[in-house]
Amino acid sequence: MTRTILRPRSTARAAALGALVIALAAGCGGTEQGEDGAAPADEPGTAQDGGASDGGGDSEAGAPAEDDATADGAASDGGAEAPDEQDPAAEALPADADLATAELPITAERAIEIATETTGGGDLVQIEIDHDDRAGAWEWEIVLLEEGTQHELDIDATTGEVTEHESDEDDDQDPVVDVTAPMTPSEAIEIALGQEPGRVSGWELDSDSGTIRYQIDIDRAEGGDVEVEVDVETGDVRIDD
């Protein structure tokens, strides 16, 4: 005799419901962790704590401190601002200055440089300094000889401006003169004042009959003026009243 065993419906339902709960539990767990594809907010090493977004450091704490030099603008232009090196305008000597003690803003050496730069070269054959009453200024008069051309230049002894420049053909072979050797203007002035005391109002260096000499212009204290010639080679003096 064959027996058929019937399973109670309640048992089958219970089994089916259990399987459904397991499936739902598995689906809910995956959704909770991966619904937006991001790791939980409290998981270390994620973008939410700043560790990965800036490559390993806080965006403010990781940046270098602002340099003081950059903050005050010094570094942006390569350092501190250079001081103003522009010199004040040279002060002109009074018309009655004594060239034995006063120094002109444009020295004899500088005046010769200016003249040579203006002409492009040449040998110095004459230089003179005196006060031009018409111009109201001390003025250098310089003569340069360059390959048969004679240049005559007037240079303001205060500003260095070339106020006049003339040139002519000249085949004369005048001796070249030098304000630094064998005798300087100050040495010639000292010799001249030893013979004729007074105020030095000007001087000239050139040649006369092949002899190079200084001519010192002196205003005597008691009145009148005198010219004292000093030979640059021998130091001999000749006085021309």
Side-chain angles (χ1 to χ4, degrees):
M1 178 177 177
T2 303
R3 177 183 290 183
T4 302
I5 299 175
L6 299 177
R7 181 174 297 176
R9 290 185 177 181
S10 59
T11 302
R13 287 180 179 179
L17 181 60
L20 179 60
V21 170
I22 294 174
L24 289 175
C28 290
T31 301
E32 181 181 359
Q33 294 182 3
E35 183 176 301
D36 57 0
D42 60 350
E43 183 178 348
T46 66
Q48 299 197 19
D49 65 4
S53 62
D54 60 6
D58 185 81
S59 60
E60 294 181 359
E66 184 178 8
D67 187 28
D68 291 340
T70 303
D72 62 17
S76 62
D77 60 3
E81 184 178 356
D84 186 2
E85 298 180 355
Q86 185 176 2
D87 293 331
E91 183 177 353
L93 294 181
D96 60 352
D98 186 352
L99 298 185
T101 56
E103 183 176 354
L104 292 160
I106 301 298
T107 64
E109 292 89 340
R110 180 56 187 147
I112 295 168
E113 290 177 356
I114 293 172
T116 304
E117 291 167 0
T118 302
T119 62
D123 296 320
L124 179 68
V125 296
Q126 181 180 342
I127 179 171
E128 180 179 357
I129 180 65
D130 63 9
H131 189 271
D132 187 335
D133 294 333
R134 292 175 300 175
W138 288 91
E139 193 171 70
W140 292 102
E141 299 175 20
I142 294 177
V143 178
L144 299 176
L145 194 60
E146 180 190 18
E147 298 180 355
T149 300
Q150 179 175 286
H151 298 271
E152 298 181 6
L153 304 97
D154 292 346
I155 299 173
D156 191 304
T158 302
T159 65
E161 178 186 1
V162 178
T163 58
E164 188 173 343
H165 179 197
E166 297 180 353
S167 59
D168 295 305
E169 292 185 3
D170 191 341
D171 294 330
D172 293 342
Q173 299 298 319
D174 294 330
V176 175
V177 300
D178 190 343
V179 295
T180 63
M183 182 181 291
T184 65
S186 60
E187 291 171 341
I189 288 172
E190 184 178 357
I191 293 173
L193 291 176
Q195 300 292 324
E196 289 286 344
R199 179 183 76 90
V200 177
S201 59
W203 58 263
E204 179 181 353
L205 174 62
D206 63 3
S207 62
D208 182 16
S209 301
T211 300
I212 301 174
R213 85 284 191 273
Y214 281 96
Q215 180 178 294
I216 312 298
D217 299 329
I218 299 176
D219 292 340
R220 288 171 170 155
E222 63 274 14
D225 55 69
V226 62
E227 296 177 356
V228 180
E229 294 183 2
V230 181
D231 189 309
V232 300
E233 295 288 349
T234 64
D236 292 342
V237 175
R238 186 172 76 87
I239 298 175
D240 186 1
D241 284 329

